[in-house]
Amino acid sequence: MDHKEISEKKPKEEVTLKTVELGIYKLTLPISAGGWDLRDSLKQVSIALPLIRRLATEIYALEPLLSVLYVASQFWNGIEGALLLYLSSRLLKIIEIGLVDGAPDKTAIFNAVAVRLICVVFAAALRWSCAQILPRLRSRITTHFELYLMQANLRVDVPTAQEPRSSIRVSSRDAWYAFDGVVDFCVDTTRTVSQLALIFQASRATGSPLFALLCILKPLFLVLGKQDLWYTPHIVYVDNANKKRMRALNGMTSPGYRAEVLCGDLIQYILNGKLLSTSGEYLLMNSVSRVRESCDAPWESLG
């Protein structure tokens, strides 16, 4: 089978670009002509699951105790809010019943307070232990996969290494980011399920599903209307004279140009240029706030 037959079986997907102006920044995003494809999403999930399983198995074999403690602490963070809220509502319910009957149940109140206090202490201890083991686990994972990348680089022959597409564009930190991202996704799912369970339990106590519906509407709209640039190919660039001038003048103040600036007596020129560009500072700050409110993106790369 030649290259022509392969390209005919896999036609290129039609993609259009959309450019959005956000203050001094311009954001270019691809828009797929076919829209969201459920079959393609399920296919990507089926491809990713074996890789996630292999990554988790390898990290567990590398540090069994630390990895289990880290995952357990993260999952506890997911259910901690709903659990503490449930215990607080249970305590208030016991106090309410005691006030209505005129004979508060001291034993039940003491048990409810003790259970909630135990949960708070356990959460604090687990959070402290996670802060202690996190640097060690991150270092172990990055060091382990850095050795993998070194072995992969050493196995490449000279002709293959000279090809542009053969260069490895990943780092050992990407393995940690992938593992942490998978754990965060599972924790968010657990947090959502626990909060929904608490909402439905509270709505059943009130006798009306309207309470549950009102609680779910806001997060549902936030999720559906969220624009996440982390997993979307995009280009962010600046097309503003004031911003370009400020960036160039800041570059002239670096140590590499110290001799040229002093010999050419350019200090006053740089200061005057910055003063002339201060009129664009308000536009810069306003645009940054607008971009941050519009979508989630790695803002460190915008500066």
Side-chain angles (χ1 to χ4, degrees):
M1 184 179 294
D2 55 1
H3 179 71
K4 183 178 180 181
E5 294 179 355
I6 296 176
S7 62
E8 289 178 355
K9 286 190 175 183
K10 294 183 179 180
K12 283 188 176 181
E13 182 183 0
E14 296 182 1
V15 177
T16 57
L17 299 178
K18 178 182 71 173
T19 301
V20 181
E21 291 190 8
L22 301 173
I24 63 172
Y25 295 109
K26 286 189 177 180
L27 177 66
T28 302
L29 298 169
I31 303 176
S32 178
W36 181 65
D37 190 0
L38 178 61
R39 182 179 300 177
D40 184 64
S41 300
L42 294 177
K43 183 180 179 180
Q44 292 180 2
V45 170
S46 63
I47 294 175
L49 283 178
L51 301 177
I52 295 174
R53 188 183 303 112
R54 179 181 177 183
L55 177 64
T57 304
E58 193 158 350
I59 292 177
Y60 176 78
L62 181 65
E63 283 289 348
L65 181 60
L66 297 183
S67 60
V68 170
L69 287 177
Y70 175 72
V71 173
S73 64
Q74 295 301 310
F75 271 92
W76 173 261
N77 291 334
I79 65 174
E80 180 183 359
L83 181 61
L84 292 180
L85 186 58
Y86 169 75
L87 294 176
S88 299
S89 62
R90 179 169 171 264
L91 176 60
L92 293 176
K93 190 69 175 178
I94 295 174
I95 295 175
E96 179 186 0
I97 294 174
L99 292 176
V100 172
D101 296 339
D105 191 351
K106 298 180 181 179
T107 304
I109 294 176
F110 176 79
N111 292 335
V113 173
V115 171
R116 195 182 190 286
L117 183 61
I118 291 173
C119 289
V120 172
V121 173
F122 177 75
L126 197 60
R127 195 175 295 111
W128 177 84
S129 62
C130 180
Q132 299 298 317
I133 67 175
L134 181 60
R136 181 181 174 185
L137 181 61
R138 186 194 298 117
S139 177
R140 287 281 290 149
I141 293 175
T142 53
T143 305
H144 176 73
F145 284 96
E146 186 176 359
L147 179 61
Y148 271 10
L149 293 177
M150 291 176 61
Q151 293 174 353
N153 286 327
L154 293 175
R155 284 196 298 264
V156 178
D157 55 6
V158 176
T160 306
Q162 293 177 352
E163 297 180 0
R165 62 180 181 179
S166 65
S167 60
I168 300 178
R169 300 179 181 179
V170 296
S171 65
S172 58
R173 294 189 300 271
D174 293 334
W176 165 256
Y177 293 148
F179 174 70
D180 191 48
V182 171
V183 173
D184 287 342
F185 175 77
C186 296
V187 169
D188 291 339
T189 304
T190 305
R191 181 182 293 111
T192 303
V193 171
S194 62
Q195 292 177 357
L196 287 177
L198 182 63
I199 290 172
F200 280 112
Q201 190 270 340
S203 64
R204 189 174 61 178
T206 57
S208 173
L210 182 61
F211 175 75
L213 182 62
L214 293 177
C215 293
I216 295 173
L217 280 179
K218 181 178 179 180
L220 184 62
F221 282 128
L222 290 177
V223 171
L224 294 178
K226 183 179 180 181
Q227 299 178 357
D228 193 357
L229 296 181
W230 280 105
Y231 306 104
T232 304
H234 63 278
I235 300 175
V236 180
Y237 58 96
V238 178
D239 190 13
N240 182 268
N242 291 322
K243 175 63 177 178
K244 291 180 179 180
R245 184 178 180 86
M246 289 291 295
R247 184 178 295 176
L249 293 174
N250 287 330
M252 294 177 65
T253 60
S254 61
Y257 298 101
R258 185 63 53 82
E260 288 79 359
V261 171
L262 294 178
C263 295
D265 195 14
L266 300 176
I267 297 177
Q268 194 62 36
Y269 169 79
I270 295 175
L271 295 177
N272 292 335
K274 284 191 174 183
L275 290 176
L276 290 176
S277 301
T278 50
S279 59
E281 282 295 315
Y282 175 76
L283 175 62
L284 172 63
M285 300 303 297
N286 188 27
S287 62
V288 170
S289 62
R290 289 174 57 191
V291 172
R292 288 180 177 175
E293 293 173 358
S294 300
C295 45
D296 297 329
W299 302 116
E300 292 81 1
S301 61
L302 297 182

